[in-house]
Amino acid sequence: MSAFSFPLVGEGRRDGGPSGLWGRFVNNHRLLHFLSSLTVISVGVAMLVGLSSEWGTPPADFAALMLHLVTVIAAVAVFVGVFNLLAVHLGRLARSERGWPYSLLALLAAAGVIALRILDRAEVWSGDLQGEQMSARAFEAVQVSLESALAGLLVFFLVYAAYRLMRRQVTVWSVLFTLAVLVALVGWIPLEETEVLADAREWLVRVPVSAGARGILIGVGLGTVAAGVRVLTGQDRSIRG
Amino acid sequence: MINDSGLIWAVVAITFAAMMAGRFLVRRFAVRLRPIRAYEALPVLAADAVESARRVHVSLGDSALGDASTVTALVSAEIAYRMSERLAISHQLPLLTLTSPMTLPLAQDTLRRAYLYRRTMGYYRSSAAAWYPAGLAFAAGAASLSADLDADSNILLGRFGANLALLGESALRHSQAVIAHSDLLEGQAVAFVQAREVLLGEELYAGPAYLNGTALERGSVLAQDVLRWLVILGIIAAALQTI
C-alpha cells in the first residue's frame, strides 16, 4: 500500500472505527469516496451553473437555496463553536494542564456574558440601568478596549520583527524591507526636512507596493481557481470519508 | 464580447485542460517542481515534534468554509492533514486552531482521518481542534494555548490579518518555529518578517503537490503556471493596446 492510498474495504474496523451496520457502511471507504465525490461534483457544478445563470431561472434558484442553507448552517455552527470552546477549556481545567487558571477565567467570562444576556432579555434591570443592554456594555468595556490596546501594540511588534529579521539574516530582501519600513515611518513625520521622504513614501505606496500587492492577489486568485477546479472534479481528499 | 459567466466557464475549462495535461506530463516524464523551503521544512518539523514528544500548532486562521476563503480553508486543511498524518504515530496530537465554526468540523475530521489512517484512533481527541472568536481574541487565545502546550512549532496557513503579529511574537518568545502564510496582504507582510519560512501568495495552493502529492495535484501546479503566463500575456497585450 502506498503512503497515501486508503485502506481496503472493511479494514477500517481494525482502526477503532465504528462497528455494526453503520460501521460496515462507514468503513467501506470506496463506497463513501464515490458517494462524497458524486455529491461534491454534482452540487459544485450545479452551483457554478446557478451562479452564472440569469436571476429567477431554476439553476439560479437552486444556487440561492443552497446559499440560504449555508447561512442557516453557519448560524447553527456558532453554537458548535461555543460548545467546542467550553469543551476545550473544561478539558484543560479537568486535566490541570499548564495555564489552567486562564481556562477557568475564560469559562467564568463565558458564563458571565451568557448570564448577562439572559438577564438583558428578561429586562430585570431597574433604576439607572433600566433599558440598558449590560452584555453589550460588558463587550464594549472589556473586549473592544482590550482589542484596541492590542492593536496599538502591533506596530511595535512589526518594527521589532523587522529589526530581528535584520539580525537573523542580512539579505537583499531584508535590507529592502527595512529601508521601506524606515521610509514609510519617517515619511509620516510632518516636518519640512522630511518632505523628500514623504514623497518617497507616497511613490513607494503608489508604484511598487501597489504592483506587488496586485501580484500577490492575482497569484492567490490563480491558486484558488486551480485548487477550486481540483475540488470540483472530486479530487480533494478532505471531502472523502 | 465574452460576458462574466462565459469568462468563468472559459477559466474553469482552461484550468481543467491544463491540469489534465499537467497530470499526463507528470505521469509520463520526471517533472521536478521548484523547491519551496517551507515545504521542505514541514516534514522536518513533524519529525522533530515526534522525536521530542511535543505538539505542533497548526492554525487555519480566519479561512472559512462558505465564504470567499473556502478554497484556502480546504487547501490549508489538506496541508494540515499531511502534517497530522506524519504526527499521528505520536500520542501528542497536533493542535488545530481556527475562527470559523463552519470550518471546525473540517478541522476535526482532518485530524480524525489522519489518526484513522495511522490506526492510532486511541490517541485522537476532537478537542484538539479549538475554535476562538475572530480578531485579536483569536490571536491571543491561540497564542497562549500554543505556549501553554509547549508547542514545538507553529504552522499558520490560510487567512490572517495583522493579528498574525501576535501569534508570531508569542511563538518567537517561546522559541517555537513559525511557518506562515496569509491570503490577505497585511497578514502576508507580517508573515514575511516573522516566519522562519514564509509561503507567498499562490504557494499555499501548491502545498498538497509538494507533500507526497498525487499526479493530479502536481499537475495542478503546472496548471497554475499556465494560468499565470496567460495573465502575464493578457497584461502585456492590454498594455500594448494602450500605447
Side-chain angles (χ1 to χ4, degrees), chain B residues 30-61:
Chain B
V31 176
R32 283 174 62 88
L33 302 176
R34 74 176 169 85
I36 296 179
R37 283 170 59 179
Y39 291 131
E40 288 173 349
L42 281 178
V44 178
L45 288 179
D48 283 351
V50 170
E51 278 181 22
S52 57
R54 290 171 73 187
R55 296 178 73 168
V56 172
H57 173 214
V58 183
S59 184
L60 307 186

Side-chain angles (χ1 to χ4, degrees), chain A residues 9-10 13 18-29:
Chain A
V9 175
R13 225 181 322 175
S19 57
L21 193 65
W22 171 244
R24 279 223 302 277
F25 178 71
V26 169
N27 291 323
N28 195 339
H29 291 87

Side-chain angles (χ1 to χ4, degrees), chain A residues 1-7 11-12 14-17 26-27 29 45 48-49 51-53 67 70 73-75 77-82 84-85 87-89 92 95 97-100 102-103 143 146-148 150-151 154 157-158 160-162 164-165 168-169 173-174 177 212-233 235-241, chain B residues 5 8-9 11-12 15-16 19-20 37 55 66 68 71-72 74-75 77-78 81-82 85-86 101-102 104 106 108-109 112-113 116-117 119-122 125-127 129-137 140 145 147-150 162-163 165-166 168-169 172-174 181-183 185 188-190 192-196 200-202 205 208 211-214 216-217 220 223-224 227-228 231 235:
Chain A
M1 193 161 65
S2 74
F4 281 94
S5 63
F6 290 92
E11 281 188 359
R14 282 187 273 129
D15 305 339
V26 169
N27 291 323
H29 291 87
V45 172
L48 203 59
V49 172
L51 291 172
S52 55
S53 300
L67 289 176
V70 168
I73 293 169
V78 174
F79 284 104
V80 178
V82 173
N84 171 270
L85 185 75
V88 167
H89 288 282
R92 283 171 54 74
R95 290 188 295 273
E97 284 180 13
R98 201 170 80 175
W100 66 265
Y102 297 111
S103 293
Q143 181 78 3
L146 272 180
E147 289 219 350
S148 306
L150 281 173
L154 281 180
F157 286 148
L158 286 177
Y160 184 55
R164 213 166 21 209
L165 183 75
R168 198 171 63 208
Q169 197 180 9
W173 307 113
S174 58
F177 179 83
R214 282 176 197 181
I216 288 175
L217 291 177
I218 288 173
V220 168
L222 295 179
T224 304
V225 170
V229 171
R230 215 164 54 216
V231 174
L232 268 182
T233 50
Q235 296 298 319
D236 192 78
R237 290 184 193 176
S238 59
I239 58 164
R240 296 173 177 178
Chain B
S5 62
I8 290 170
W9 285 105
V11 169
V12 170
T15 310
F16 183 70
M19 201 182 287
M20 287 299 139
R37 283 170 59 179
R55 296 178 73 168
V71 173
T72 305
L74 285 172
V75 174
E78 187 55 37
Y81 172 77
R82 310 258 164 127
E85 204 210 22
R86 288 173 160 87
M102 283 279 277
L104 185 60
L106 173 71
Q108 289 177 335
D109 192 53
R112 184 195 64 80
R113 281 189 300 127
L116 190 65
Y117 176 74
R119 301 166 191 250
T120 49
M121 276 298 281
R125 287 196 313 276
S126 61
S127 60
W131 172 82
Y132 283 97
L136 285 166
L145 194 56
D148 287 341
L149 296 176
D150 192 25
N163 61 359
L166 263 180
E169 184 63 26
L172 294 173
R173 276 175 191 272
H174 292 90
H181 166 273
S182 174
D183 65 357
L185 291 172
Q188 188 71 85
V190 175
F192 178 76
V193 282
Q194 284 196 323
R196 183 198 286 181
L200 291 172
E202 75 270 28
Y205 306 92
L211 300 167
N212 290 17
T214 60
L216 190 88
E217 284 163 346
S220 78
Q224 261 178 255
L227 288 176
R228 186 190 292 115
V231 169
I235 290 171

Side-chain angles (χ1 to χ4, degrees), chain A residues 12-69:
Chain A
R13 225 181 322 175
R14 282 187 273 129
D15 305 339
S19 57
L21 193 65
W22 171 244
R24 279 223 302 277
F25 178 71
V26 169
N27 291 323
N28 195 339
H29 291 87
R30 285 181 182 172
L31 180 61
L32 264 185
H33 293 175
F34 174 73
L35 288 178
S36 53
S37 298
L38 188 70
T39 310
V40 167
I41 294 169
S42 49
V43 173
V45 172
M47 284 296 288
L48 203 59
V49 172
L51 291 172
S52 55
S53 300
E54 290 285 327
W55 190 249
T57 56
D61 288 346
F62 174 77
L65 173 73
M66 294 305 284
L67 289 176
H68 188 67
L69 278 176

